[in-house]
């Protein structure tokens, strides 16, 4: 194990080299823990094609799900940033497809979220609003809101999320609110509707009292809509990480 800059360390696990935070408490909320490998004695044959293992047919463990496969069923090496692997790692066919889809989030959506968007922000039931820049922190743990004032929301303390959308056709200008899932992070899509805002329910650090925050796109609606779409994908990963 060796230490590297920015509070991270290089760790060698049975699955490969990983770049992880020095303090585990500062893991990205999108990250997943390495799975427990299925013990060799419990998998005499491939868990996909059922081919028996022998001297020529070796067994391999998928680094994402931990199950055991033959070389044919677990031959792809795919990047897996959610587990902080430095290099692409061996994954089964099903897991490799999931990881490849997630790469779009890490390659594109994360950059959009950290770039930020301009929103009209209303806290709680206040009748006053403020135009603020909202962006995801570099460690992916917080949403920063910057305007005349500044505050932050920790992603792990968001309990629900609702998307506000405007129909894309000029004749229709209704705003639709999608029902949230209490106690779990959930976000819904609405067909061809374009996201125009977001309603968050969360708890501030050190408080158990639920709070509400409403965000609506400010002047640059295109950038704001792209940010909200990226946040939508982020919410799905957050929900998956919590569910595990």
């Amino acid at each position: 194990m060796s230490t590297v800059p920015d509070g991270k360390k290089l760790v060698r696990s049975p699955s490969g080299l990983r770049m992880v935070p020095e303090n585990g408490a500062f893991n990205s909320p999108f990250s997943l823990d390495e799975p427990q490998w299925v013990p060799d004695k419990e998998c005499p044959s491939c868990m996909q094609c059922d081919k028996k293992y022998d001297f020529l047919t070796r067994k391999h463990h998928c680094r994402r799900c931990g199950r055991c496969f033959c070389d044919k069923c677990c031959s792809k090496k795919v990047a897996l940033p959610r587990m902080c692997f430095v290099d692409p790692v061996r994954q089964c066919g099903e897991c490799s497809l999931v990881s490849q889809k997630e790469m779009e989030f890490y390659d594109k959506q994360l950059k959009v979220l950290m770039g930020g968007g301009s929103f009209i922000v209303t806290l709680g039931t206040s009748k006053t609003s403020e135009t603020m820049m909202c962006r995801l922190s570099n460690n992916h743990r917080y949403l920063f809101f910057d305007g005349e004032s500044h505050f932050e929301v920790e992603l792990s303390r968001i309990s629900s999320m609702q998307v506000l959308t405007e129909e894309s056709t000029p004749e229709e200008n209704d705003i639709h609110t999608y029902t949230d899932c209490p106690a779990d992070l959930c976000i819904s899509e609405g067909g061809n509707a374009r996201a125009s805002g977001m309603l968050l329910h969360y708890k501030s650090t050190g408080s158990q009292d639920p709070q509400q925050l409403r965000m609506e796109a400010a002047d640059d609606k295109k950038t704001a809509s792209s940010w909200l779409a990226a946040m939508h994908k982020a919410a799905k990963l957050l929900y998956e990480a919590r569910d595990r």
Side-chain angles (χ1 to χ4, degrees):
M1 182 176 68
S2 61
T3 302
V4 296
D6 300 324
K8 293 188 177 183
K9 59 185 179 182
L10 197 59
V11 176
R12 182 177 293 279
S13 75
S15 299
L17 284 174
R18 301 173 65 224
M19 189 75 75
V20 300
E22 287 276 7
N23 186 334
F26 296 114
N27 283 334
S28 165
F30 304 119
S31 65
L32 298 175
D33 293 331
E34 285 188 82
Q36 290 289 328
W37 284 9
V38 175
D40 288 349
K41 62 182 179 181
E42 295 181 13
C43 51
S45 60
C46 176
M47 300 180 79
Q48 177 66 40
C49 69
D50 208 32
K51 187 174 183 179
K52 297 289 184 181
Y53 298 123
D54 54 30
F55 182 73
L56 296 177
T57 305
R58 297 180 57 196
K59 61 183 64 175
H60 301 277
H61 286 87
C62 172
R63 272 48 176 175
R64 185 178 180 116
C65 68
R67 294 186 299 163
C68 197
F69 302 90
C70 67
D71 182 71
K72 183 178 179 181
C73 295
C74 193
S75 61
K76 293 185 178 180
K77 289 191 175 183
V78 180
L80 186 48
R82 295 190 72 185
M83 291 184 187
C84 304
F85 286 111
V86 175
D87 301 309
V89 292
R90 188 183 291 268
Q91 297 179 54
C92 66
E94 181 179 347
C95 287
S96 65
L97 290 176
V98 174
S99 295
Q100 286 171 346
K101 289 180 180 179
E102 289 176 350
M103 280 307 300
E104 180 184 357
F105 173 76
Y106 279 86
D107 289 340
K108 297 180 181 179
Q109 273 75 37
L110 264 183
K111 295 177 182 178
V112 171
L113 290 173
M114 289 190 288
S118 182
F119 295 92
I120 300 171
V121 178
T122 307
L123 291 174
T125 58
S126 173
K127 294 182 179 180
T128 60
S129 301
E130 182 180 347
T131 300
M132 309 184 82
M133 175 64 70
C134 178
R135 66 178 179 85
L136 182 68
S137 63
N138 291 337
N139 62 10
H140 312 158
R141 292 175 54 82
Y142 298 92
L143 291 179
F144 289 152
F145 292 84
D146 292 298
E148 291 185 4
S149 59
H150 168 85
F151 65 93
E152 55 197 46
V153 175
E154 189 171 359
L155 264 65
S156 64
R157 297 181 67 83
I158 295 176
S159 58
S160 67
M161 193 179 293
Q162 294 176 305
V163 180
L164 307 176
T165 67
E166 284 188 26
E167 296 296 338
S168 56
T169 54
E171 296 79 16
E172 298 175 310
N173 197 33
D174 295 332
I175 293 182
H176 301 271
T177 302
Y178 291 93
T179 305
D180 63 331
C181 303
D184 281 315
L185 187 63
C186 181
I187 191 168
S188 303
E189 292 180 273
N192 294 324
R194 171 179 288 185
S196 62
M198 187 173 289
L199 191 66
L200 302 179
H201 293 90
Y202 67 99
K203 294 178 182 178
S204 298
T205 303
S207 172
Q208 293 302 314
D209 297 328
Q211 299 188 49
Q212 177 179 294
L213 182 153
R214 184 185 180 97
M215 306 164 54
E216 294 184 87
D219 295 335
D220 190 350
K221 296 185 183 298
K222 183 177 180 180
T223 298
S225 182
S226 296
W227 192 94
L228 291 166
M231 191 62 194
H232 175 270
K233 294 191 177 182
K236 292 182 177 180
L237 298 189
L238 287 170
Y239 182 78
E240 180 189 339
R242 288 185 186 183
D243 200 40
R244 286 180 61 146

